[in-house]
Amino acid sequence: MRRILSVVLLLITQTLFSQNNVDFSFTNEPLQNVLTTIEKAYDIKFSYRAELVKDKRITLTLKDANLTTVFQQLQSQVKIVFEKVDDRYYIIRNQTQEGKVRICGVLVDAESQIPIIDASVVNKTQAKGTVSDANGYFELYLSFPSDTIEIRYLGYKTKQILAQELQTKPCTNLFLVAEKFSLKEVLISNYLTSGINKRSNGALTISPEKLGILPGLTEPDVLQSIQLLPGVQSPNETASGLFIRGGTPDQNLILWDGIKMYHSGHFFGLISAFNPYVIEEVSVYKSGTETRYGDRISGVIDIQTDTKVPEKLSGGFGFNMTHADAYLKVPIGEKFGVTVSARRAFTDVLETFTYDNFSERVFQNTKITKGTEIAENIFSETTNRFFFTDYTIKLIGKLSDKDEIMVSNLMTKNELDFGSKVEFFEETSRDQLSIQNSGISGFWKRQWNDKFSHDLKIYHSKFDFEYLGRFQGDIVQLVEEDRKQNTIRDVGFSYDTFWKINEKNEIQSGFQFSSNDVSFSFSGFSADDEGISRYLSAEESINNSYALYTSYKYNDQKNLIINAGLRGNYFSTTRTLFLEPRLHIEKKLSKRFSTTLSAEVKHQAVSQIIEFNTANLGLENQVWAIANGDEFPILKSQQISAGFLFNKKGWRVNVDGYYKNISGLTSLNRSFGSTSVIETFTEGRSKITGVDVLVEKKIDNYQTWMGYSYTNNQFEFSQINSGVRFPGNYDITHYFRWAHSYTIDNFKFSLGWNYRTGTPYTPVTSETQANGDLFVFIGETNTVRIPDYHRLDFSGTYTFNFDKNSNWKGKIGFSLLNIYNRKNLLERYYEIRPFLNDDNEVQFRLQTVDNISLGLTPNLVFRVDF
């Protein structure tokens, strides 16, 4: 009955609209309102630029008018032209400018017929052209008869059209049908939002240039964007603290143009260390990783900067409330180009409201916030100089039709200098912290023929961490100094071959070598009236890693995709060969429904461990170390996952379940103690089961998506918790995100809500004092959880042009983190701290330490691109 009624209503509607005779009466009415009324009256759709109708008003009265009459009357009042695309779609443009060829039209997806927004419509002689609006409409002037136009949009292509073929008309009206290119690569476009795509190898790719607006972000942040993916969590609400399916941040492989990164955050992780404005694409693997990736057991984040030689000079600059940045793309002839970028915080010069909130979040419960009033009427004076910076330089060369070369350089740096002075006690202290990660890489690709190509890559990565803390007390005649250093020298090369057997079959093989020189040291002294005591602990290890890999790819996207391979790793420190099979399969069961299966084995020789020598600072208490097979074993991960994907009428549902087993964990790299010191060493494993769910829906200019992750992360250590399994330190059972985005003209808005269950901690059951000693009794490991976490974020941007040719573009943005200012508890632990009793005797007491999340945090951004 419902179906019959729908058919009847459809016939009635068509009959009514086919009459095409309507009465209108407008008095000084804005043109945009008039067009909206006409659309509803005749059941048609207009595509036009917002500037076209701005400040235009209509006064018009018509009786029993058809659509043609309406168009004629409007064109007599304003300088516009209506051009028919089909029976329902019309394009509105300005009247033709003489001496030029005007190209205008609507860009739509070939399969769904949905307009493609934010696609650059360009011609050969200008690098930047007009951009399609929310309705897919674009227009462009061509000055050269031999010129061509094309569409630049990730995942789509159109046929190039010669301008000379279009000169016969003052404005050629194109209904461009854009088809997805390279079907072997892109499976799903606009995954979550524009600029995120799913590829046939199981990876998710992010293009910052095309990335849609995200909740709480006014600028694209690579690592923050990754957190939108189900299965990726950040328990400490940082950008760099990414836990991918239960793996810790140091278990993620992060590459910048092939350079291994050992530190990926600014402002102690709150901001990504990577400038998004020179990044072309980011590939993210959660499972089923390709065999060419090794050395880490969790996720892969492969960042690739621009690979095309710039056609013309372009660039941009801008600032927000923490830092400023600039980038420039410069062509050097036809075959070479250079891309440079730089960012620097101005926090050492100007303290904004955003910086104040970031500082309160980062430096809480550390020496840096223990200034102010330390006792009644006793104060300390503090100075805190903190800043970060990064820069990149890249040379791109197209030597021939077969040869490409690239040389990339990167440097990231964080500096902290904190001083404290208590005049009453005549005490001074100073803490200096420096973290740098720099690197250089070279790349040569040769396409020998249509079937065979190879890549040759070399890289050098350097990580330097140095902390120096000094205390001097003149009354107590005490001088103390602590120093910590952690250094990594990583050099390597790889040779990769690609053999395309036919359209559906391909074989990829390669050899990789890397040498890691890792050292860390702790030193210091304490001098008082009784003498000087010193300590020194240092270790240096070198691991040479050799790897051979091969993979077979079968791609019949209409039916079946297979990516299977084997990787062999040899680590010199343990003199052991490890085999790593990898598999990713996607089977299409119908036009709308497909299933996936992935499996992988991975090993890791370099990871981070907890250290307690500099725990008094409260920042960065982890160091990188090389596995030696004894107290630092090789980490091993085994993962299998399976799921399905459903896509119909704008709805997209993706469900993926997985099981992950990690061995080689130690109490030194997990830190399970309830207080600040661990005296035991034990080796263990973790078993992780989980389900990731994503639901998306797009309706015209509105898009919403919901992501949910269930995770059960259980640890097992023979000497901890009596050998009984217990939740991992960062086990988040339920993680839910709901985000919305809406675009209207040049405005973009986004709103998102995050909810997750609290992480576990080990409680203290009781404590007692006896003869000046403190006795603490702890409960079972990680049996209590902190309160649940939830937060609401908002962001909005407005883009505009500085000139008529759209060569200079501007953007203003505003964001709010934690709109309702909830004080979420991020972490709870205990410390034993000394104090003076009423008899001026030193005693100890147990202190509960709570780390609180960011409160209500606004941010502003202003950008100019040309």
Side-chain angles (χ1 to χ4, degrees):
M1 182 66 184
R2 182 181 301 175
R3 183 174 300 177
I4 295 175
L5 181 60
S6 299
V7 173
V8 173
L9 290 175
L10 178 61
L11 292 174
I12 294 174
T13 302
Q14 290 180 340
T15 303
L16 291 174
F17 280 113
S18 65
Q19 296 174 2
N20 287 333
N21 294 314
V22 183
D23 296 340
F24 291 111
S25 180
F26 303 112
T27 303
N28 199 30
E29 187 75 14
L31 177 57
Q32 184 174 6
N33 296 347
V34 174
L35 295 175
T36 301
T37 302
I38 295 173
E39 284 181 324
K40 295 179 179 179
Y42 294 100
D43 189 26
I44 59 176
K45 293 293 292 184
F46 293 126
S47 291
Y48 55 86
R49 290 199 172 279
E51 294 85 353
L52 185 71
V53 299
K54 186 178 181 180
D55 300 328
K56 291 184 174 66
R57 294 184 174 272
I58 298 295
T59 298
L60 178 66
T61 300
L62 292 173
K63 295 290 186 180
D64 196 28
N66 58 31
L67 186 58
T68 302
T69 302
V70 174
F71 285 170
Q72 292 174 349
Q73 292 297 319
L74 291 178
Q75 290 176 154
S76 66
Q77 295 192 30
V78 291
K79 294 182 179 181
I80 58 175
V81 177
F82 294 89
E83 295 187 352
K84 184 177 181 179
V85 176
D86 57 24
D87 290 338
R88 190 163 186 261
Y89 286 91
Y90 291 82
I91 293 174
I92 307 175
R93 60 171 179 82
N94 280 314
Q95 292 182 358
T96 306
Q97 294 183 2
E98 296 183 359
K100 291 186 178 182
V101 179
R102 178 194 292 271
I103 307 298
C104 57
V106 176
L107 179 65
V108 298
D109 179 90
E111 180 179 355
S112 66
Q113 296 295 303
I114 296 176
I116 299 174
I117 64 174
D118 294 336
S120 295
V121 183
V122 301
N123 60 337
K124 187 176 180 181
T125 56
Q126 69 179 62
K128 290 188 176 181
T130 58
V131 177
S132 57
D133 65 10
N135 296 315
Y137 173 77
F138 68 89
E139 59 179 302
L140 174 68
Y141 286 102
L142 302 180
S143 301
F144 301 92
S146 60
D147 205 354
T148 60
I149 67 168
E150 62 180 5
I151 304 301
R152 291 182 181 176
Y153 188 70
L154 187 64
Y156 289 91
K157 71 174 181 180
T158 57
K159 294 181 180 179
Q160 293 187 349
I161 303 173
L162 287 173
Q164 61 187 6
E165 299 173 1
L166 309 171
Q167 282 186 305
T168 56
K169 298 180 180 180
C171 177
T172 300
N173 199 14
L174 301 175
F175 192 64
L176 292 181
V177 179
E179 297 183 355
K180 295 177 182 178
F181 70 84
S182 186
L183 294 179
K184 293 187 177 182
E185 293 297 329
V186 178
L187 273 177
I188 301 174
S189 60
N190 297 339
Y191 188 92
L192 280 177
T193 184
S194 60
I196 302 181
N197 303 287
K198 186 177 182 181
R199 295 194 178 275
S200 60
N201 58 8
L204 291 168
T205 62
I206 299 174
S207 174
E209 183 181 0
K210 299 296 183 182
L211 195 62
I213 189 169
L214 301 176
L217 297 178
T218 52
E219 296 184 277
D221 186 293
V222 172
L223 301 184
Q224 292 279 13
S225 302
I226 292 173
Q227 295 180 28
L228 290 176
L229 306 176
V232 181
Q233 303 171 347
S234 179
N236 293 324
E237 66 174 13
T238 60
S240 60
L242 299 181
F243 289 70
I244 299 180
R245 290 189 167 179
T248 55
D250 64 304
Q251 296 170 1
N252 297 325
L253 176 64
I254 301 180
L255 300 173
W256 170 278
D257 280 349
I259 303 170
K260 292 180 186 177
M261 301 301 299
Y262 293 89
H263 192 267
S264 57
H266 285 320
F267 218 131
F268 299 96
L270 289 184
I271 301 172
S272 167
F274 309 117
N275 192 327
Y277 297 104
V278 293
I279 295 176
E280 184 173 276
E281 187 176 83
V282 182
S283 298
V284 181
Y285 293 84
K286 296 186 293 183
S287 64
T289 310
E290 290 192 338
T291 53
R292 59 193 174 102
Y293 296 107
D295 298 333
R296 298 292 188 274
I297 64 171
S298 192
V300 174
I301 302 171
D302 190 351
I303 303 171
Q304 179 68 58
T305 61
D306 291 335
T307 57
K308 296 180 180 179
V309 176
E311 297 179 3
K312 63 177 292 186
L313 178 67
S314 62
F317 57 88
F319 65 87
N320 56 31
M321 294 298 100
T322 58
H323 65 274
D325 79 279
Y327 73 94
L328 199 62
K329 301 178 181 181
V330 185
I332 306 175
E334 296 183 356
K335 295 185 176 181
F336 290 92
V338 174
T339 300
V340 297
S341 73
R343 295 192 300 176
R344 192 191 190 282
F346 45 73
T347 51
D348 54 332
V349 178
L350 176 65
E351 296 185 3
T352 64
F353 43 79
T354 306
Y355 168 74
D356 289 339
N357 282 17
F358 280 10
S359 296
E360 184 178 352
R361 156 68 180 85
V362 169
F363 299 129
Q364 62 180 311
N365 298 315
T366 68
K367 289 181 64 176
I368 298 177
T369 56
K370 295 173 184 175
T372 62
E373 186 173 6
I374 60 176
E376 185 176 357
N377 297 323
I378 300 177
F379 297 87
S380 65
E381 299 178 3
T382 61
T383 58
N384 183 15
R385 181 179 180 268
F386 168 76
F387 74 94
F388 60 82
T389 185
D390 61 67
Y391 70 79
T392 66
I393 303 174
K394 185 170 186 176
L395 172 68
I396 309 170
K398 181 75 172 177
L399 301 183
S400 67
D401 292 337
K402 295 184 177 182
D403 296 278
E404 300 177 23
I405 63 168
M406 284 175 278
V407 179
S408 299
N409 180 255
L410 165 75
M411 193 281 293
T412 69
K413 184 178 183 180
N414 289 261
E415 294 281 347
L416 171 69
D417 190 348
F418 173 75
S420 176
K421 181 179 180 180
V422 184
E423 293 186 357
F424 184 86
F425 294 123
E426 298 183 16
E427 295 177 352
T428 59
S429 66
R430 187 178 184 185
D431 295 275
Q432 296 172 287
L433 182 64
S434 175
I435 308 173
Q436 295 187 46
N437 201 159
S438 59
I440 186 171
S441 66
F443 172 82
W444 171 43
K445 178 178 182 179
R446 180 170 178 81
Q447 187 75 42
W448 291 90
N449 51 51
D450 294 339
K451 300 289 186 181
F452 183 78
S453 65
H454 76 221
D455 293 348
L456 180 63
K457 304 175 186 177
I458 59 173
Y459 76 91
H460 176 263
S461 182
K462 181 182 178 182
F463 170 77
D464 284 307
F465 176 100
E466 184 170 0
Y467 164 71
L468 175 62
R470 184 178 178 86
F471 170 83
Q472 180 173 343
D474 292 338
I475 294 179
V476 296
Q477 295 296 309
L478 175 65
V479 177
E480 292 180 335
E481 183 177 287
D482 296 293
R483 183 185 296 270
K484 178 174 73 171
Q485 292 179 306
N486 190 198
T487 303
I488 300 176
R489 303 289 187 270
D490 188 346
V491 61
F493 72 88
S494 64
Y495 178 73
D496 308 302
T497 63
F498 307 87
W499 179 29
K500 185 178 181 181
I501 302 173
N502 52 44
E503 288 298 322
K504 295 182 180 180
N505 296 273
E506 181 180 338
I507 293 178
Q508 180 179 346
S509 302
F511 170 77
Q512 297 173 354
F513 167 80
S514 65
S515 179
N516 294 300
D517 185 345
V518 182
S519 63
F520 59 86
S521 64
F522 310 99
S523 61
F525 69 87
S526 177
D528 54 21
D529 295 337
E530 298 180 358
I532 299 178
S533 61
R534 301 180 182 274
Y535 72 90
L536 173 63
S537 175
E539 181 174 327
E540 181 176 8
S541 300
I542 298 177
N543 177 57
N544 294 325
S545 174
Y546 305 86
L548 280 171
Y549 76 89
T550 186
S551 64
Y552 165 72
K553 298 181 181 179
Y554 174 82
N555 194 333
D556 179 8
Q557 189 165 319
K558 296 180 179 179
N559 184 35
L560 178 65
I561 298 172
I562 300 176
N563 189 349
L566 180 66
R567 179 185 178 92
N569 285 328
Y570 177 82
F571 298 140
S572 63
T573 54
T574 60
R575 298 180 180 180
T576 308
L577 175 65
F578 299 96
L579 296 180
E580 301 180 350
R582 312 278 177 87
L583 176 67
H584 176 75
I585 300 175
E586 182 150 347
K587 172 66 176 176
K588 200 162 188 177
L589 302 179
S590 67
K591 185 178 180 181
R592 302 298 181 183
F593 191 82
S594 60
T595 60
T596 60
L597 174 67
S598 297
E600 65 181 21
V601 177
K602 295 181 178 181
H603 296 84
Q604 181 172 340
V606 181
S607 60
Q608 287 185 320
I609 60 173
I610 304 292
E611 61 84 16
F612 302 100
N613 293 272
T614 57
N616 62 328
L617 175 65
L619 290 168
E620 301 290 342
N621 66 329
Q622 298 187 69
V623 297
W624 289 94
I626 288 181
N628 53 22
D630 297 325
E631 67 266 29
F632 305 140
I634 296 289
L635 292 171
K636 180 181 180 180
S637 171
Q638 300 168 301
Q639 181 180 189
I640 184 170
S641 62
F644 69 87
L645 176 66
F646 178 78
N647 190 356
K648 185 177 182 180
K649 294 183 179 180
W651 285 96
R652 184 180 296 155
V653 181
N654 194 358
V655 179
D656 201 29
Y658 63 91
Y659 170 78
K660 195 173 185 179
N661 184 11
I662 299 177
S663 59
L665 300 177
T666 71
S667 55
L668 289 178
N669 59 17
R670 292 299 129 234
S671 182
F672 300 108
S674 299
T675 59
S676 298
V677 180
I678 295 179
E679 298 180 353
T680 61
F681 169 84
T682 182
E683 182 179 344
R685 64 175 60 242
S686 69
K687 294 184 178 181
I688 309 163
T689 56
V691 177
D692 298 330
V693 180
L694 176 65
V695 179
E696 304 175 64
K697 175 62 176 177
K698 181 175 175 61
I699 306 173
D700 296 329
N701 299 338
Y702 167 74
Q703 185 172 4
T704 182
W705 64 91
M706 291 181 288
Y708 168 76
S709 294
Y710 166 80
T711 307
N712 183 12
N713 189 353
Q714 295 290 315
F715 283 174
E716 184 178 344
F717 287 76
S718 60
Q719 300 180 37
I720 298 178
N721 205 45
S722 302
V724 179
R725 290 184 184 178
F726 57 92
N729 288 5
Y730 295 99
D731 175 55
I732 298 177
T733 308
H734 304 285
Y735 204 124
F736 176 78
R737 303 177 182 88
W738 189 13
H740 313 262
S741 65
Y742 181 72
T743 302
I744 177 171
D745 297 330
N746 295 336
F747 290 92
K748 294 182 179 181
F749 305 96
S750 185
L751 186 70
W753 187 67
N754 294 344
Y755 166 84
R756 67 173 186 246
T757 52
T759 55
Y761 69 95
T762 303
V764 171
T765 57
S766 63
E767 58 178 297
T768 182
Q769 294 274 354
N771 300 323
D773 295 326
L774 175 65
F775 296 90
V776 178
F777 301 91
I778 63 175
E780 295 184 359
T781 306
N782 288 352
T783 53
V784 181
R785 292 181 179 268
I786 62 177
D788 292 351
Y789 174 105
H790 52 86
R791 191 181 82 185
L792 181 67
D793 301 329
F794 167 82
S795 58
T797 62
Y798 172 72
T799 56
F800 57 93
N801 297 321
F802 286 97
D803 60 348
K804 295 182 179 179
N805 296 325
S806 302
N807 292 326
W808 288 75
K809 300 179 182 295
K811 183 174 81 169
I812 299 174
F814 172 72
S815 67
L816 276 176
L817 295 175
N818 198 357
I819 292 177
Y820 46 79
N821 197 29
R822 175 177 168 84
K823 296 188 180 300
N824 289 294
L825 182 58
L826 298 177
E827 184 182 21
R828 172 171 289 168
Y829 58 95
Y830 301 92
E831 288 184 351
I832 298 176
R833 296 178 178 174
F835 72 99
L836 291 177
N837 61 18
D838 295 337
D839 298 326
N840 288 328
E841 296 175 340
V842 177
Q843 286 188 300
F844 296 90
R845 61 187 171 197
L846 189 69
Q847 180 72 39
T848 301
V849 181
D850 288 342
N851 282 333
I852 307 299
S853 68
L854 279 170
L856 174 63
T857 304
N859 201 353
L860 299 171
V861 65
F862 174 77
R863 290 206 60 80
V864 176
D865 295 282
F866 59 89

